[in-house]
Amino acid sequence: MEHTAKVVSHGPSGLLQSDELYDYVLTTSVYPREAEILKELRDAIANHPQSYMATAPDGGQFMALLLKLLNAKKTIEVGVFTGYSLLLTALTIPHDGKIIAIDVDREAYEIGLPFIKKANVEHKVNFVESQGLPVLDKLLENQENESSFDFAFVDADRANLKNYHERLLRLVRVGGVIMYDNTLWGGTVTLADLSAVHPMRQFAWKDTIEFNKMIAGDPRVDISQVALGDGMTICRRIC
């Protein structure tokens, strides 16, 4: 019998609900090309109670491809957790590339830090323990930072996505990319009422839907929303 992919509205899981199909994607296209150090980090956090917050490896592979297509050298990451996407970015950008990585949770970041050190890419990372908006505002105080970044990745609080977007549009250059994670929110964006949403998804359900509507109507960016991980939206700045 042919397996089909279904969108579900419960729990912190991916969008492809045929395990066989998702395993096929991972084992055929993703894991054979995943850097060994990324696999080690992924294995190290497998039993973490919030391991589902890490960037999905298929989404990470897609991000690495975008970074290479952009020839990205200077990037921002808002929301780091244990650093899978951060390590992936550091491995992908050139030796003299730089990442400003922002997160309130230094403890989670330090879980991934030994892997960043082992990969000899710590010199690329400027980790800032903070909420995202104050750091972005501080960057914008220096006019030289405007339009100077090639890429930004956002996996942070849903309530501030619009605020992050406005600031990152000033920091990322024309032709650069801003990538937002978790924009399909476990498939719950299709539901009409909060009461139908799994309790673990309720807190950011409305913010995610409102952000998706805002991005869809933003003439300053080209966009593509893809069903990788928990949904990713890629925005290319056009003006």
Side-chain angles (χ1 to χ4, degrees):
M1 179 182 296
E2 183 181 34
H3 294 287
T4 58
K6 299 183 293 182
V7 176
V8 297
S9 59
H10 56 79
S13 55
L15 296 172
L16 285 176
Q17 292 304 296
S18 163
D19 291 340
E20 294 85 357
L21 179 57
Y22 190 53
D23 285 346
Y24 175 84
V25 172
L26 293 176
T27 58
T28 303
S29 300
V30 179
Y31 291 158
R33 290 176 173 263
E34 183 182 37
E36 183 62 29
I37 193 69
L38 287 171
K39 180 181 184 301
E40 290 176 14
L41 174 55
R42 185 163 50 79
D43 288 344
I45 66 170
N47 294 321
H48 190 286
Q50 295 177 308
S51 60
Y52 59 87
M53 291 175 56
T55 301
D58 52 331
Q61 183 185 61
F62 182 59
M63 186 181 351
L65 183 61
L66 287 176
L67 288 164
K68 291 174 182 177
L69 289 170
L70 287 166
N71 292 315
K73 185 175 180 180
K74 188 178 179 183
T75 77
I76 300 175
E77 183 159 333
V78 185
V80 174
F81 188 46
T82 54
Y84 184 93
S85 56
L86 177 60
L87 175 56
L88 179 144
T89 301
L91 290 169
T92 305
I93 63 176
H95 181 76
D96 58 346
K98 298 297 179 185
I99 310 161
I100 296 177
I102 310 162
D103 202 297
V104 295
D105 190 351
R106 177 175 289 275
E107 184 177 346
Y109 165 71
E110 288 182 348
I111 293 173
L113 184 56
F115 299 91
I116 293 172
K117 291 180 176 179
K118 183 178 178 180
N120 296 315
V121 293
E122 187 184 9
H123 66 282
K124 302 181 187 181
V125 178
N126 176 16
F127 177 77
V128 183
E129 183 181 1
S130 172
Q131 298 285 346
L133 292 179
V135 179
L136 299 181
D137 286 338
K138 185 69 174 177
L139 287 171
L140 286 167
E141 289 178 7
N142 183 348
Q143 289 188 347
E144 292 183 0
N145 287 324
E146 294 202 19
S147 300
S148 69
F149 291 84
D150 303 300
F151 181 86
F153 180 63
V154 181
D155 185 4
D157 51 309
R158 310 288 104 189
N160 273 313
L161 286 179
K162 294 179 182 179
N163 293 322
Y164 294 141
H165 186 65
E166 291 304 319
R167 288 155 175 80
L168 290 170
L169 275 177
R170 294 174 60 190
L171 290 165
V172 171
R173 63 175 171 82
V174 172
V177 166
I178 309 168
M179 189 173 188
Y180 296 95
D181 203 3
N182 306 116
T183 60
L184 294 178
W185 207 235
T188 61
V189 290
T190 64
L191 301 177
D193 188 81
L194 180 64
S195 63
V197 179
H198 189 281
M200 292 185 68
R201 295 286 188 178
Q202 288 182 357
F203 72 96
W205 172 73
K206 183 178 180 181
D207 291 325
T208 303
I209 291 173
E210 290 180 352
F211 174 74
N212 288 340
K213 289 179 180 178
M214 184 274 291
I215 284 290
D218 189 343
R220 298 168 296 178
V221 291
D222 294 321
I223 69 167
S224 179
Q225 189 172 37
V226 296
L228 289 169
D230 195 22
M232 289 180 158
T233 299
I234 302 92
C235 305
R236 175 181 174 270
R237 182 185 168 191
I238 57 178
C239 65

